[in-house]
Amino acid sequence: MSSNLDRARSYEGKVGKQIPDGQKCVFHLTPEVGWMNDPNGFSLYRGEYHLFYQYHPYSSVWGPMHWGHQKTRDFIKWEQLPCALAPDTEYDGQGCFSGSAVEHEGKHILMYTGVLDRVEADGSHTIRQTQCIAVGDGVNYEKLSANPVITADALPEGSSGEDFRDPRIWKEGNTFYTAVGSLGSDGSGQIALFSSQDAEEWRFESILDANGKRYGKMWECPDFFPLDGKQVLIVSPQFMRAEGLEFHNGNNSIYFVGTYDREKRSFLRGEARSVDCGLDFYAPQTVETEDGRRVMVGWLQSWDNYMTPEDFLWSGMMTIPRELEIREGRLIQNPVRELENYRQKEVSCKGIRLSEQQGSLELDGIRGRVLDMIVEADVSRSASFTIHLAVGEGCETTISYEKEKGTFTTDRTCSGLKKDLLCTRSMYVDTKEGKLKLRLLLDKYTVELFVNDGEQAMTSLIYTPLEAEGISFSCKGETVLDITKYEIVLS
């Protein structure tokens, strides 16, 4: 073990104990201590699901990237494991960036981007991103002496050596494949495909897809997988311009449903769509479960709106893992079914008639900050319908439907923020014969909304005081509600 890795492990074990009990989320993965961003290495290994993540243990802001590590059997209860990778070689001394993992012959293979960033003797600045391998047993990992196993020299002429990262590794039969994001000769994103028989010597196969300056610039964190007879490519573009409500400015996560020609190693994509329309979602990664489901998790935070309270010794969390399927050409996502095993204290309110004259309506037993709530709303006679969350302490966050615009909007303006941050985001929604079905997950600081059985998702952070547990409902016109709420309890 290198001194850098040993130091990181000692630090996280010591300082993690200083975090107050009850401060962290209940059923969302958070780091032991320090900063967390992109999920990495989401994989099945020896019957357990491992999730690594970009990690800087020494502060609650981004720094030289390590790999944090946790595992689970059911995607809800997570076990903290020691830091898996630290920047400690020449080729990754300035960071072990994002990557992925696969099980092979009893070993756990991690593939990640190593970052070299140095000033040369002549004053010039060298930045290189290369792809590297570490092999381990689920706790300890050894970097290959052959690293880096892929350099930018293997890319088509004109491709960038500075922006070449985030390998997504998988196996088909006896062959390893990896899809890696890079900048092409036109200065926009492309996804390069490589193959290998041993995960050490790699051959360039093709450019799976290229941005063509259409969706942002660099395509980060690619994921490429079959689902329901189709092929899905997920990428996270940087420096993207908004296009109506479908995409937003800055860092997005988008997906394409298409077909994959394995002989030509080419992907024919369909229309681009947002993975999640909320304020805080980036860099999702998927795993195939033992029972054949495709499960996705994303980083529940934003690069452009840092909100972590100043007294927190940790920053960042992951979304609830979500089961994916294709329905009518769209990616459908719903919380993993295992979450239902932790539901307690059901409260059901049926046929609640809500009118504009009532103002904001509270219901007995419908409150809390750690919950799973299903709301079925007949909005056929409503001009608007609003759910008020985390109400109290002078705060609230709202999720509102507006019929004329056909939109849902999350608004955290009054959630307790003391900085001028982006607070609203909207998405178009379709009613089903005048009805909406909503599923809301709250976990202290998280709001995850799933609309119409997973047709759309909207994920956002709120750092409202935890004492603010009120929930109420209001509308313009008339709305009829069926509400079922559960507490989520991990015993």
Side-chain angles (χ1 to χ4, degrees):
M1 184 188 306
S2 72
S3 59
N4 286 6
L5 183 58
D6 182 60
R7 176 174 173 247
R9 289 183 169 189
S10 297
Y11 185 89
E12 65 185 359
K14 178 181 178 182
V15 179
K17 296 176 182 177
Q18 300 175 19
I19 295 173
D21 290 341
Q23 186 183 81
K24 289 187 177 181
C25 297
V26 172
F27 60 97
H28 285 70
L29 184 148
T30 57
E32 177 79 352
V33 68
W35 167 272
M36 164 197 283
N37 61 281
D38 306 357
N40 298 159
F42 198 18
S43 56
L44 175 64
Y45 178 65
R46 294 184 178 177
E48 297 177 305
Y49 298 96
H50 288 249
L51 183 62
F52 305 81
Y53 42 88
Q54 293 289 270
Y55 181 45
H56 183 241
Y58 305 114
S59 75
S60 59
V61 296
W62 191 94
M65 287 288 93
H66 299 56
W67 272 34
H69 188 192
Q70 298 186 36
K71 69 177 182 178
T72 183
R73 291 186 180 274
D74 67 358
F75 301 109
I76 306 301
K77 284 186 173 180
W78 293 91
E79 178 185 342
Q80 181 69 47
L81 295 170
C83 179
L85 297 176
D88 52 17
T89 73
E90 182 179 9
Y91 56 80
D92 69 10
Q94 285 68 55
C96 300
F97 276 17
S98 289
S100 51
V102 66
E103 182 173 6
H104 176 64
E105 296 181 348
K107 296 294 185 181
H108 203 197
I109 298 176
L110 312 186
M111 191 172 197
Y112 70 99
T113 297
V115 180
L116 181 153
D117 186 343
R118 70 187 178 202
V119 177
E120 306 292 356
D122 63 1
S124 62
H125 192 191
T126 298
I127 302 175
R128 290 291 180 271
Q129 295 181 352
T130 57
Q131 314 319 313
C132 309
I133 294 285
V135 180
D137 60 4
V139 176
N140 298 303
Y141 296 85
E142 183 176 349
K143 298 174 183 179
L144 294 188
S145 60
N147 281 338
V149 296
I150 308 176
T151 69
D153 294 339
L155 292 168
E157 185 176 355
S159 299
S160 172
E162 296 184 13
D163 289 290
F164 177 41
R165 57 184 176 270
D166 311 337
R168 179 62 165 102
I169 190 173
W170 72 93
K171 281 190 68 180
E172 293 182 20
N174 295 320
T175 303
F176 294 93
Y177 293 92
T178 188
V180 191
S182 79
L183 283 182
S185 58
D186 66 350
S188 68
Q190 61 186 16
I191 305 300
L193 179 68
F194 299 85
S195 68
S196 174
Q197 298 302 309
D198 59 7
E200 292 190 29
E201 295 185 9
W202 293 84
R203 181 180 70 182
F204 173 77
E205 292 284 351
S206 68
I207 297 297
L208 271 179
D209 199 0
N211 190 340
K213 299 184 178 181
R214 175 65 180 86
Y215 300 105
K217 191 177 180 182
M218 177 70 180
W219 277 1
E220 293 195 311
C221 302
D223 201 349
F224 190 62
F225 54 89
L227 184 64
D228 296 337
K230 299 291 186 178
Q231 192 76 15
V232 178
L233 173 65
I234 298 177
V235 294
S236 292
Q238 293 181 303
F239 311 114
M240 190 168 178
R241 288 185 178 181
E243 296 183 18
L245 299 183
E246 182 62 39
F247 310 117
H248 61 81
N249 292 323
N251 298 281
N252 277 252
S253 294
I254 63 177
Y255 72 90
F256 305 94
V257 176
T259 58
Y260 178 39
D261 187 328
R262 280 177 167 75
E263 290 187 4
K264 296 181 180 179
R265 304 285 192 245
S266 66
F267 174 65
L268 179 62
R269 58 172 148 101
E271 182 181 354
R273 293 189 173 98
S274 296
V275 179
D276 189 290
C277 296
L279 288 153
D280 298 286
F281 183 93
Y282 195 67
Q285 193 170 103
T286 70
V287 66
E288 184 178 6
T289 65
E290 287 185 296
D291 59 4
R293 291 174 289 161
R294 178 66 58 169
V295 171
M296 177 184 74
V297 68
W299 179 41
L300 206 166
Q301 195 156 291
S302 167
W303 286 115
D304 298 322
N305 291 277
Y306 182 77
M307 298 172 57
T308 304
E310 293 180 357
D311 60 341
F312 277 24
L313 296 175
W314 60 279
S315 178
M317 60 197 78
M318 297 299 172
T319 65
I320 188 73
R322 304 171 181 184
E323 296 183 23
L324 302 182
E325 60 179 300
I326 301 293
R327 188 189 307 155
E328 298 180 355
R330 289 179 175 267
L331 193 65
I332 305 300
Q333 46 190 310
N334 284 292
V336 286
R337 63 195 67 175
E338 287 85 350
L339 181 62
E340 298 172 18
N341 297 329
Y342 297 94
R343 287 172 167 175
Q344 293 189 17
K345 301 180 180 180
E346 177 181 341
V347 177
S348 183
C349 301
K350 303 293 185 181
I352 303 299
R353 294 190 174 274
L354 184 65
S355 68
E356 187 171 353
Q357 291 73 27
Q358 290 173 294
S360 185
L361 177 65
E362 297 180 6
L363 299 167
D364 289 344
I366 306 295
R367 59 185 294 109
R369 290 285 292 277
V370 182
L371 57 85
D372 184 353
M373 183 168 68
I374 299 166
V375 178
E376 297 186 60
D378 184 339
V379 293
S380 58
R381 301 176 64 182
S382 307
S384 66
F385 166 61
T386 299
I387 304 176
H388 307 258
L389 302 168
V391 179
E393 306 294 315
C395 303
E396 71 169 5
T397 291
T398 59
I399 296 175
S400 302
Y401 168 71
E402 294 185 61
K403 178 183 289 186
E404 185 175 346
K405 295 180 179 179
T407 59
F408 250 111
T409 299
T410 294
D411 187 341
R412 64 183 178 200
T413 304
C414 298
S415 64
L417 291 171
K418 298 178 182 178
K419 298 179 180 179
D420 186 16
L421 297 172
L422 183 66
C423 288
T424 64
R425 184 153 287 145
S426 301
M427 65 181 178
Y428 292 114
V429 295
D430 293 322
T431 59
K432 310 296 183 181
E433 297 180 348
K435 296 182 179 180
L436 288 167
K437 185 176 181 181
L438 314 175
R439 186 173 177 186
L440 272 164
L441 302 184
L442 302 186
D443 191 3
K444 296 187 178 180
Y445 320 109
T446 71
V447 179
E448 292 182 83
L449 172 67
F450 302 88
V451 179
N452 293 334
D453 295 312
E455 288 183 356
Q456 291 163 285
M458 178 175 270
T459 301
S460 302
L461 278 174
I462 56 169
Y463 282 103
T464 306
L466 296 179
E467 294 76 18
E469 295 189 328
I471 297 174
S472 61
F473 306 86
S474 64
C475 74
K476 291 182 180 179
E478 296 180 1
T479 304
V480 179
L481 302 175
D482 290 342
I483 304 167
T484 305
K485 190 217 79 171
Y486 305 90
E487 293 184 15
I488 299 297
V489 179
L490 273 59
S491 55

